[in-house]
């Protein structure tokens, strides 16, 4: 902590710079868990330094991703639980990066808050660090901005940015995708970090008891279930790419099946999804029932229990499922690729 830096005038205006120093001290133990061999700077500098290890990579291509947690943060505020939303922030970035086959290298976060409460900020970063460890990425920097008058004192926003690397010849694209290829689902952990504006409206979370046990959720509460962090798919996808030629990957985020699966499919081909094969999680059944939401809209808003889809040759499908499951994913076949101008059909 910098004992020489303080400003009573700035504190009177709502910004306590000493609280910022305290938050940094508290988060250092969490950041230390994420450090990898490429990190060559300490927290506190003006930029995060990372040395690229390009051994075995002929033509390195950097892949970047940025995202936030969205209004899922409202649940964290209501439940006063802040140590998991950081996982969501990391997941939303690295799950995008992995769709190109890139290995995440490092991550930076940005926290903007109405009031810097050091322990709360440290809890947020604890989640970020946990997500980074799971993704194999180093947390090499970030920013905490105390913005009184812009955010309420007990609220904050959280966003992140990540960079990965992939050999150009190993980039996952859809150029080899063909009719008859198989689409594999990777199970989600829940709603992840999308559709929460609708979810909050359906359950009226600001005015309801979201801590009570719910039978349809195996005794878990609405709040606990919704705050379940986004699953990170980096390790199973990297393991799959080592053995199988992957023809396409989609991260199922906002827009659900209808918007995201077609993003990995070339023109002239489309996905046929067997909806009866999809392992729809109970929270989605509850959302549909409570909100009186049609099935088509559910599949066009939420991941429905599928956080990522992977397309492979039909002859590789069985082995691909095996590899994914061995590396922590709940993988199973949900559809196939056909020749059509209709990008996706759910039947």
């Amino acid at each position: 902590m910098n004992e020489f830096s303080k400003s009573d005038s700035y504190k009177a205006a709502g910004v306590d710079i000493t609280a910022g120093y305290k938050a940094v001290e508290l988060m250092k133990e969490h950041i230390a868990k994420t450090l990898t061999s490429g990190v060559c700077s300490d927290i506190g500098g003006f930029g995060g330094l990372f040395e690229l290890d390009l051994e075995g990579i002929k033509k390195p291509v950097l892949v970047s991703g940025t995202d936030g947690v969205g209004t899922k943060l409202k649940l964290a505020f209501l439940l006063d639980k802040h140590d998991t939303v950081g996982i969501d922030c990391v997941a939303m970035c690295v799950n995008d990066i992995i769709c190109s086959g890139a290995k995440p290298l490092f991550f930076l976060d940005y926290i903007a808050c109405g009031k810097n409460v050091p322990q709360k900020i440290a809890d947020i970063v604890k989640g970020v660090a946990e997500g980074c460890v799971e993704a194999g990425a180093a947390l090499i920097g970030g920013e905490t901005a105390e913005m009184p008058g812009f955010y309420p004192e007990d609220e904050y926003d959280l966003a992140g940015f990540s960079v990965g690397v992939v050999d150009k010849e190993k980039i996952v694209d859809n150029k080899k995708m063909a009719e008859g290829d198989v689409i594999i689902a990777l199970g989600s952990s829940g709603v992840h970090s999308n559709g929460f504006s609708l979810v909050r409206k359906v359950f009226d979370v600001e005015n309801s008891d979201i801590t009570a046990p719910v039978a349809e959720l195996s005794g878990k509460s609405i709040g606990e279930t919704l705050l379940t962090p986004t699953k990170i798919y980096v390790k199973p996808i990297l393991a799959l790419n080592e053995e199988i030629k992957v023809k396409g990957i989609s991260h199922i985020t906002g827009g659900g099946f209808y918007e995201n699966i077609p993003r990995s499919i070339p023109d002239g081909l489309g996905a046929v999804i067997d909806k009866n094969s999809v392992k729809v999680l109970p929270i989605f059944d509850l959302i549909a029932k409570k909100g009186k939401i049609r099935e088509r809209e559910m599949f066009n808003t939420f991941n429905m229990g599928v956080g990522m889809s992977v397309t492979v040759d039909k002859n590789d499908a069985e082995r691909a499922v095996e590899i994914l499951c061995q590396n922590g994913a709940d993988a199973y076949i949900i559809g196939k690729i056909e020749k059509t101008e209709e990008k996706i059909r759910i039947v």
Side-chain angles (χ1 to χ4, degrees):
M1 183 179 296
N2 189 341
E3 60 184 279
F4 300 104
S5 179
K6 59 184 178 180
S7 172
D8 292 335
S9 298
Y10 208 5
K11 186 174 182 180
V15 178
D16 184 357
I17 56 178
T18 59
Y21 300 142
K22 177 63 175 175
V24 171
E25 288 300 316
L26 290 173
M27 67 178 71
K28 280 185 176 180
E29 65 172 296
H30 307 304
I31 295 171
K33 298 174 184 177
T34 76
L35 301 184
T36 61
S37 59
V39 178
C40 41
S41 61
D42 293 326
I43 294 298
F46 290 99
L49 279 63
F50 192 93
E51 182 180 4
L52 281 173
D53 179 3
L54 299 178
E55 184 177 355
I57 300 179
K58 297 178 182 178
K59 292 185 178 181
V61 175
L62 297 179
V63 182
S64 60
T66 185
D67 209 336
V69 183
T71 62
K72 182 174 184 174
L73 291 176
K74 288 285 189 180
L75 275 296
F77 305 157
L78 288 168
L79 297 174
D80 194 24
K81 181 174 172 55
H82 311 282
D83 60 350
T84 61
V85 290
I87 301 173
D88 290 293
C89 190
V90 174
M92 296 306 293
C93 297
V94 299
N95 284 347
D96 280 351
I97 286 174
I98 198 64
C99 289
S100 299
K103 179 185 186 303
L105 298 173
F106 57 82
F107 187 86
L108 293 91
D109 60 20
Y110 176 79
I111 305 167
C113 57
K115 182 177 177 59
N116 188 331
V117 180
Q119 187 57 59
K120 181 186 288 188
I121 299 299
D123 284 345
I124 297 168
V125 175
K126 176 183 177 182
V128 173
E130 186 175 335
C132 285
V133 169
E134 192 172 341
L139 179 55
I140 64 170
E143 172 70 12
T144 301
E146 191 172 15
M147 302 167 67
F150 195 89
Y151 292 95
E153 283 196 359
D154 59 348
E155 295 191 1
Y156 57 85
D157 198 6
L158 173 63
F161 171 84
S162 188
V163 172
V165 65
V166 61
D167 198 327
K168 189 172 183 177
E169 64 182 27
K170 295 182 179 179
I171 293 175
V172 175
D173 56 38
N174 56 26
K175 294 178 181 178
K176 299 292 185 180
M177 197 174 291
E179 184 175 29
D181 287 343
V182 171
I183 302 170
I184 299 170
L186 278 69
S188 72
S189 57
V191 182
H192 283 182
S193 298
N194 304 102
F196 271 85
S197 294
L198 177 56
V199 168
R200 287 169 42 241
K201 180 181 178 181
V202 167
F203 293 117
D204 191 19
V205 297
E206 281 85 0
N207 302 299
S208 304
D209 181 7
I210 59 172
T211 63
V214 177
E216 293 94 327
L217 302 176
S218 301
K220 289 186 176 181
S221 69
I222 294 289
E224 180 185 4
T225 302
L226 293 178
L227 207 54
T228 301
T230 305
K231 189 169 181 61
I232 293 174
Y233 298 102
V234 170
K235 291 180 181 178
I237 293 296
L238 288 178
L240 181 66
N241 286 342
E242 288 293 317
E243 294 192 41
I244 301 292
K245 173 60 180 175
V246 177
K247 299 187 177 186
I249 305 175
S250 287
H251 183 198
I252 314 300
T253 55
F257 280 48
Y258 283 97
E259 182 173 324
N260 291 290
I261 292 179
R263 292 171 67 180
S264 65
I265 301 174
D267 292 341
L269 296 176
V272 180
I273 305 296
D274 176 9
K275 66 183 179 183
N276 293 319
S277 69
V278 176
K279 298 179 183 178
V280 178
L281 297 176
I283 185 61
F284 297 109
D285 291 329
L286 196 58
I287 291 170
K289 179 181 177 181
K290 179 78 172 175
K292 297 181 174 58
I293 303 171
R294 293 179 300 161
E295 182 180 74
R296 170 65 169 73
E297 293 187 5
M298 289 295 295
F299 275 93
N300 206 164
T301 306
F302 302 107
N303 68 62
M304 300 300 286
V306 178
M308 186 163 279
S309 69
V310 175
T311 301
V312 300
D313 187 281
K314 62 182 179 181
N315 295 319
D316 293 327
E318 184 177 344
R319 177 59 182 150
V321 169
E322 183 181 3
I323 293 168
L324 291 166
C325 289
Q326 287 173 347
N327 287 275
D330 176 20
Y332 57 96
I333 294 171
I334 57 167
K336 62 181 180 180
I337 298 295
E338 66 174 17
K339 286 185 178 179
T340 176
E341 293 303 318
E342 189 176 7
K343 299 304 294 184
I344 182 170
R345 288 192 299 120
I346 300 178
V347 297

